[in-house]
């Protein structure tokens, strides 16, 4: 049964993506196919690189010491609790600064880049905390 | 009154001739956690404390003591 799991996950992902693609085409007639394809390819490549690196590191490990344990989880939880306040107060500060500079509207594109940067910082922070 | 948990894990481990890597493998914890516990920077959970007692075959008061800061 354990060997079948990757196949089940792969089928589920492909089916979900196909349904999503079909619904997307149905709901948005002028769907930018190239952008969506590039997005999906990028995501798949990114996940592939992460899984590949993890498997490679696992195969090179000479000892059976785990990467995470109870103290690591506590550290990660503390980091998320701390970063929640930092990101909230930081975002509020950014809004105040922008508003005081006379900016009253913001593009969704700019907002998505800001959120992407925030997520990247969170991921980098998590990796740093995990290693401590 | 501030109380601090002290442990003799490093002393017991060295007396038994066990390395940190060996202990990490046996208890399935990271080497950094062993370091933190041995240097009194992290107090292990009750589960890990019980695992340590069983691993070293000692009683709780042989490993952990409560001291005034």
């Amino acid at each position: 049964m354990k060997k079948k799991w990757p196949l089940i996950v792969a089928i589920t992902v492909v089916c979900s993506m196909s349904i999503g693609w079909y619904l997307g085409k149905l709901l948005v007639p002028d769907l930018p196919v190239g952008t969506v394809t590039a997005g999906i390819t990028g995501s798949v490549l990114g996940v592939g690189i992460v899984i590949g690196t993890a498997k490679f590191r696992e195969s090179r490990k000479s000892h059976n010491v785990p990467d995470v344990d109870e103290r690591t989880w506590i550290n990660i939880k503390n980091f998320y609790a701390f970063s929640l306040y930092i990101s909230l107060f930081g975002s509020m500060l950014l809004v105040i600064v922008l508003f005081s500079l006379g900016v009253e509207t913001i593009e969704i594109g700019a907002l998505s880049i800001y959120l992407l940067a925030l997520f990247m910082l969170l991921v980098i922070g998590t990796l740093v905390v995990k290693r401590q | 009154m501030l109380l601090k948990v002290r442990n003799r894990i490093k002393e017991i481990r060295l007396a038994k001739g066990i390395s940190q890597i060996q202990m990490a493998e046996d208890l399935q914890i990271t080497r950094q956690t062993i370091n933190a516990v041995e240097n009194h920077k992290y107090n292990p959970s009750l589960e890990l404390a019980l695992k340590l007692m069983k691993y070293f075959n000692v009683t709780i008061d042989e490993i952990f003591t409560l001291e005034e800061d």
Side-chain angles (χ1 to χ4, degrees):
Chain A
M1 188 63 199
K2 208 178 174 185
K3 277 184 183 170
K4 282 183 185 168
W5 267 111
L7 192 70
I8 293 169
V9 170
I11 291 170
T12 313
V13 168
V14 170
C15 288
S16 315
M17 278 169 75
S18 308
I19 294 168
W21 186 268
Y22 177 72
L23 283 177
K25 282 213 125 189
L26 206 73
L27 296 171
V28 190
D30 51 345
L31 190 76
V33 179
T35 316
V36 173
T37 313
I40 291 171
T41 314
S43 310
V44 170
L45 270 177
V47 171
I49 289 169
V50 170
I51 292 173
T53 315
K55 289 267 177 202
F56 178 68
R57 280 190 61 200
E58 198 71 32
S59 66
R60 276 177 62 106
K61 245 168 59 170
S62 56
H63 45 72
N64 184 27
V65 176
D67 286 331
V68 285
D69 63 0
E70 56 170 55
R71 192 184 60 92
T72 326
W73 284 121
I74 292 171
N75 283 349
I76 291 173
K77 270 194 257 177
N78 287 344
F79 169 71
Y80 283 147
F82 177 72
S83 56
L84 170 75
Y85 285 98
I86 294 292
S87 55
L88 273 179
F89 285 118
S91 302
M92 191 64 217
L93 197 73
L94 203 66
V95 168
I96 291 168
V97 168
L98 285 172
F99 191 74
S100 64
L101 289 172
V103 181
E104 285 182 3
T105 54
I106 190 159
E107 266 186 63
I108 293 293
L111 204 63
S112 67
I113 290 170
Y114 172 71
L115 286 173
L116 196 72
L118 211 61
F119 281 129
M120 274 174 72
L121 280 175
L122 275 177
V123 170
I124 292 167
T126 310
L127 288 175
V128 171
V129 168
K130 204 189 106 188
R131 282 179 158 266
Q132 283 179 347
Chain B
M1 186 175 65
L2 214 72
L3 294 168
K4 212 167 181 183
V5 178
R6 293 262 151 197
N7 68 71
R8 292 177 51 237
I9 291 170
K10 192 173 185 177
E11 205 182 312
I12 299 168
R13 180 176 63 78
L14 291 176
K16 289 187 183 272
I18 302 167
S19 69
Q20 279 193 343
I21 287 284
Q22 182 62 49
M23 190 174 152
E25 275 186 337
D26 294 340
L27 294 172
Q28 282 298 292
I29 51 173
T30 62
R31 206 183 47 76
Q32 289 94 321
T33 296
I34 297 176
N35 233 354
V37 173
E38 284 184 354
N39 293 317
H40 310 109
K41 283 179 182 155
Y42 171 70
N43 283 333
S45 66
L46 182 61
E47 189 189 339
L48 182 55
L50 292 169
K51 271 188 186 176
L52 286 164
M53 280 168 58
K54 202 174 170 186
Y55 184 66
F56 290 125
N57 196 23
V58 288
T59 56
I60 193 145
D61 51 341
E62 280 178 277
I63 304 187
F64 300 103
T65 46
L66 203 55
E67 285 176 9
E68 273 183 49
D69 201 22

